Amino acid sequence: MKNKLPVKILAILLSCGLLTVGVGAALALQPADAAPPASAATKEPQPAGAVQKEETVYVLANADGTVRKIIVSDWLKNPDGAAELEDYTDLSDVTNVKGNETYRLNPDNMRVWAADGHDIYYQGTIDKSLPVDVTIRYTLDGNPISAADLAGKSGRVTIRFDYTNNLKVTVPVRGEATEICVPFLMLT
């Protein structure tokens, strides 16, 4: 058998290089007057009573990459054990997924959760454009084929993922306002 150690080392070096370039690009494209990004190790403490929110987005897609449904899962952290938590969200069909806490809408269309000292875990759906679109194409033995026609066939299959970045911001570059795409690292 061939020694696969050089391939593994090369893969590790390339991964580190991609990570370095991605972080460097994100920092270089940040406006000069913006605050430095917070990492887990350097994150400043939140003010007392501040609700912290973590959000995960799940995209259910068809075989060609078109979006069928977007599910957003939110975790409202309640570090001070507050009786109520206020949270604004554009989600619809909001359901509590880990408890029995309920919410009411205030006049500002903000959800006020009856947390009773607990964290709140909820999910909902949203109908917005994603910052990155994906298109998936298939070939069988070098010939284009749909995912439906590919089922049950044998041969050399190639799956190609193409990404389109839709998220742009205007930042100063050498003193001029320039529109650039927000950098994303996509792994497939």
Side-chain angles (χ1 to χ4, degrees):
M1 286 186 80
K2 293 182 180 179
N3 185 357
K4 294 188 178 187
L5 186 60
V7 173
K8 289 181 180 179
I9 292 172
L10 181 60
I12 291 170
L13 290 174
L14 285 173
S15 297
C16 291
L18 276 173
L19 181 62
T20 303
V21 168
V23 170
L27 292 175
L29 296 175
Q30 190 174 26
D33 59 346
S39 69
T42 62
K43 188 177 275 188
E44 294 180 20
Q46 296 288 323
V51 176
Q52 299 171 15
K53 184 175 185 177
E54 286 190 19
E55 188 168 85
T56 305
V57 178
Y58 300 94
V59 179
L60 305 180
N62 296 317
D64 64 355
T66 56
V67 175
R68 280 185 299 173
K69 186 176 187 179
I70 302 172
I71 300 171
V72 179
S73 182
D74 286 322
W75 173 15
L76 297 179
K77 297 180 182 181
N78 191 356
D80 295 333
E84 290 187 335
L85 298 177
E86 291 184 340
D87 175 55
Y88 178 77
T89 181
D90 290 331
L91 301 180
S92 56
D93 303 323
V94 171
T95 56
N96 187 335
V97 294
K98 286 195 176 182
N100 296 321
E101 299 86 3
T102 58
Y103 67 87
R104 69 181 192 288
L105 290 175
N106 72 9
D108 297 327
N109 203 31
M110 183 176 294
R111 285 180 171 79
V112 180
W113 289 90
D116 195 29
H118 301 109
D119 289 359
I120 304 292
Y121 301 85
Y122 69 89
Q123 281 187 346
T125 58
I126 194 161
D127 189 23
K128 281 190 172 181
S129 297
L130 294 171
V132 178
D133 290 330
V134 62
T135 303
I136 306 171
R137 293 182 287 159
Y138 305 86
T139 60
L140 177 62
D141 296 325
N143 299 313
I145 190 169
S146 70
D149 293 338
L150 183 61
K153 301 269 191 320
S154 63
R156 183 181 173 100
V157 175
T158 302
I159 304 173
R160 180 180 168 98
F161 294 81
D162 292 309
Y163 299 98
T164 304
N165 188 342
N166 301 317
L167 192 57
K168 296 179 182 181
V169 293
T170 302
V171 297
V173 176
R174 293 186 183 102
E176 293 184 25
T178 306
E179 185 177 74
I180 60 169
C181 289
V182 174
F184 287 98
L185 175 62
M186 304 300 291
L187 299 175
T188 303

